[in-house]
Amino acid sequence: MTEQPRNVPNNLEAFWMPFSANRQFKQAPRMFVGAKDMHYVTSDGRQVLDGTAGLWCVNAGHCRPKITEAIRQQAGELDYAPAFQMGHPKAFELASRLATIAPEGLDHVFFTNSGSESVETALKIALAYQRVRGEGSRFRLIGRERGYHGVNFGGISVGGIVGNRKMFGTLLTGVDHMRHTHDPARNGYSKGATEHGVELAEDLVRIATLHDPSTIAAVIVEPVAGSTGVLPPPKGYLKRLREICDQHGILLIFDEVITGYGRMGTAFAADYFGVTPDIMVTAKGLTNGVIPMGAVYVRDEIYDAFMNGPEHLIEFAHGYTYSGNPIAAAAGLATLETYKEEGLFERARALEPVWAEAIHSLKGEPHVIDIRTIGLIGAIELEPMKGEPTKRAFTAFVRAFEAGLLIRTTGDIIALSPPLIVSEDQISEIVETLRKILRSLD
Ligand SMILES: Cc1ncc(COP(=O)(O)O)c(C=O)c1O
C-alpha cells in the first residue's frame, strides 16, 4: 500500500536548484521525504534503494541512530561556539581521532564545511607553506584534465571539466593541467586500478620542465576521478606522481572527497594505493553527509612550518565561521564510531569482488560501451545518442527512480556508490533493475 503524499510544497519556483535541470525537475519533481538505512522514501510513499549513498556521502546508510542522537544531544548542549580564537572539546577530539585513521604523518586537520572549501583550503595551505619555508617562487598549481575539485574558483581552476569552467572568466592564473588517464581502448572493462597508462605520470615531468619545477607549489589529483565518470588510476601512476613530486619539492594533494572514509574498502584511497600525499582533502563521508563538514589533513612538517613567529599572532589567515562547528563535530565523532563498531570499511573491502562481479555482469547489455569498478564504486558507460549527448543516461536515471533505484549520471555514464551497509541481495537488485532499464532504452 502506498502512503498519501506528504510534505509536498506548492511552489517550486523560488529554489534555484544546484547542478540540476531546473525546468525539467519542476515539471516532474522527484522528492524525497524520508530515509532509513539503504532506502529513501518518496513524497508518494515509494521506497527507493540508494545506489549512490546520496551524493557519495552517506557511507553508513541513512538516519543511523548513533549519529542522529549525537546531533540531537549536541544541539541541546552547545549549539555553536566561535571558531576563531575560541575552542570546544569535540572539534579537538574529532581532529585527534581523524589523525589516528589517517595515513602516517598526516596528523593535523583543518576543518571546513564542504569538499569545495576543503579544496580551496588545501590550495591555500600549499601556496602559503611554500612561502613560509622560503620557496615563495612556487606559485603554480597543477591539476588534471577531467578532474573535479568542487565549484569554487580555486577548485574549478585546477579542475578539468570544461562545462564547469567555461562561464567563469580567467579563473586562477598560474595553473596548468596534466593529461587525464582515461584510456578505454587499452583499459576497457577494468576492475581496480587499470593495467595501462603509468607513463601518463610523466606528463608532470613535462609540465615541470616547461615551467621549471621551482615555480610549482603543488599538484592536486583525485586518486580515483569520480565526477567525470569513475576513472581509476593506472597501476603505479600515483606512486610515480609521488616520486616526481619528491624529486622536485612539489606538494602532492589527494582530493579524497569521495574516496575517503571507507569507499575504497580502506579508510582512504591513500591506503588502498599505498601512496601518502602531503595534503589530503576530505568531506562527505566525514559526517555521513548528515551535517556539512570537510577536513583537510596535512603532514606534520607543513603544520610545524607555520608555527613560527610571535605566539600571539595568527599563523594562517584562513578559516570559516563554521570550521569545527560543534554539531558537525559531534556528527563526525558518531560517524567514526559507527564505521568502527560496524566494521564498515572492512565490509566494503570484502564486498569489492562481489560488487565488481555483479556490475560487470552488465557487459553486453544494450548501449553499454565500458564498465569500471573499484572499491564500492562502479561506472557503466553508455553509448551517447546521436546528436543528443547525456540524454540516454538521463533517461536511465529517471527510469531508475521510477523503478525504485537511485543512480547518478554524469555525461552518458551511470555512476554507482552505495552505502557501505549494502547487502549482496541489494547489489543484485541494483544490477537487475539496471539491466531491465538498459534493455528498455532507445
Ligand atoms: C573529488 C571531489 N572534490 C570536491 C568535491 C566538492 O565537494 P562539495 O560538493 O561538498 O563542495 C566533490 C563533490 O562531489 C568531489 O567529488
Side-chain angles (χ1 to χ4, degrees):
M1 203 180 76
T2 54
E3 290 171 27
Q4 287 304 305
R6 50 182 171 136
N7 297 343
V8 182
N10 57 16
N11 186 343
L12 306 184
E13 264 318 293
F15 178 24
W16 186 349
M17 298 170 68
F19 273 123
S20 300
N22 273 255
R23 287 157 305 157
Q24 192 278 347
F25 180 93
K26 289 170 188 182
Q27 282 162 33
R30 297 172 293 275
M31 297 277 196
F32 289 137
V33 296
K36 184 72 195 137
D37 298 331
M38 279 298 299
H39 289 90
Y40 280 107
V41 182
T42 63
S43 52
D44 55 356
R46 290 187 306 115
Q47 295 274 320
V48 173
L49 182 62
D50 186 356
T52 58
L55 268 179
W56 314 78
C57 49
V58 187
N59 290 0
H62 294 273
C63 290
R64 301 307 311 276
K66 189 158 231 163
I67 304 170
T68 312
E69 192 44 42
I71 292 167
R72 213 190 299 275
Q73 250 191 30
Q74 188 61 44
E77 185 183 304
L78 174 66
D79 52 352
Y80 176 78
F84 308 161
Q85 306 281 25
M86 291 299 298
H88 67 88
K90 289 217 168 69
F92 291 92
E93 196 184 332
L94 178 59
S96 304
R97 293 262 189 101
L98 291 174
T100 67
I101 63 163
E104 216 185 310
L106 295 178
D107 291 330
H108 293 89
V109 177
F110 199 103
F111 287 120
T112 72
N113 308 289
S114 66
S116 297
E117 285 183 0
S118 290
V119 167
E120 303 304 298
T121 299
L123 298 177
K124 286 175 74 176
I125 289 174
L127 290 171
Y129 168 69
Q130 297 291 12
R131 192 175 148 125
V132 298
R133 74 174 183 127
E135 295 264 341
S137 69
R138 294 182 180 268
F139 61 90
R140 286 186 204 282
L141 298 167
I142 310 301
R144 191 171 56 185
E145 296 167 348
R146 295 190 71 152
Y148 182 66
H149 301 293
V151 291
N152 292 342
F153 270 101
I156 58 173
S157 301
V158 292
I161 303 181
V162 183
N164 292 357
R165 293 162 52 89
K166 68 181 180 194
M167 310 292 262
F168 307 110
T170 54
L171 310 181
L172 275 191
T173 55
V175 170
D176 208 342
H177 293 79
M178 298 181 288
R179 284 183 59 195
H180 67 72
T181 61
H182 189 39
D183 187 354
R186 288 199 295 167
N187 290 322
Y189 295 93
S190 59
K191 293 180 186 166
T194 59
E195 288 300 323
H196 304 283
V198 63
E199 70 283 358
L200 288 162
E202 305 308 320
D203 211 33
L204 182 55
V205 176
R206 176 187 66 81
I207 289 175
T209 309
L210 172 68
H211 298 296
D212 197 83
S214 68
T215 67
I216 301 177
V219 173
I220 181 167
V221 291
E222 300 160 88
V224 176
S227 295
T228 43
V230 184
L231 315 178
K235 284 183 184 157
Y237 172 88
L238 294 171
K239 189 164 166 279
R240 182 67 189 127
L241 283 189
R242 177 72 275 176
E243 284 167 7
I244 299 166
C245 286
D246 286 345
Q247 201 179 345
H248 294 295
I250 299 168
L251 294 174
L252 180 61
I253 306 174
F254 278 178
D255 183 342
E256 295 236 17
V257 169
I258 63 164
T259 49
Y261 308 108
R263 175 62 45 208
M264 305 289 294
T266 48
F268 299 97
D271 305 307
Y272 186 97
F273 295 111
V275 178
T276 303
D278 302 297
I279 304 180
M280 197 167 71
V281 171
T282 73
K284 294 195 192 264
L286 167 58
T287 55
N288 204 34
V290 180
I291 302 275
M293 189 181 221
V296 180
Y297 298 67
V298 303
R299 266 192 199 281
D300 303 346
E301 305 89 274
I302 296 178
Y303 175 80
D304 291 344
F306 284 88
M307 299 303 127
N308 259 317
E311 289 196 358
H312 69 284
L313 289 185
I314 290 166
E315 295 103 357
F316 180 44
H318 180 74
Y320 302 97
T321 299
Y322 306 112
S323 285
N325 172 280
I327 299 177
L333 284 165
T335 299
L336 290 188
E337 276 166 36
T338 303
Y339 290 150
K340 193 169 171 195
E341 277 171 16
E342 299 183 11
L344 291 184
F345 299 175
E346 297 75 20
R347 182 187 164 76
R349 177 129 215 148
L351 278 176
E352 181 176 6
V354 179
W355 171 255
E357 196 69 19
I359 303 294
H360 278 273
S361 78
L362 294 169
K363 185 175 181 180
E365 294 297 342
H367 318 296
V368 174
I369 55 173
D370 191 24
I371 294 178
R372 305 178 278 281
T373 55
I374 189 163
L376 269 196
I377 307 175
I380 301 150
E381 183 151 1
L382 307 183
E383 168 112 63
M385 289 173 89
K386 262 214 170 72
E388 292 185 293
T390 77
K391 195 169 174 188
R392 183 169 277 142
F394 184 69
T395 308
F397 164 73
V398 174
R399 288 194 188 160
F401 175 73
E402 286 163 359
L405 172 66
L406 182 67
I407 61 172
R408 200 167 151 58
T409 63
T410 157
D412 273 292
I413 301 163
I414 294 170
L416 299 166
S417 56
L420 314 181
I421 58 167
V422 67
S423 70
E424 294 194 26
D425 282 352
Q426 287 161 336
I427 292 176
S428 302
E429 188 183 334
I430 292 171
V431 169
E432 294 318 314
T433 306
L434 278 175
R435 194 184 306 283
K436 273 194 211 119
I437 289 165
L438 289 169
R439 291 178 183 177
S440 78
L441 293 174
D442 289 335

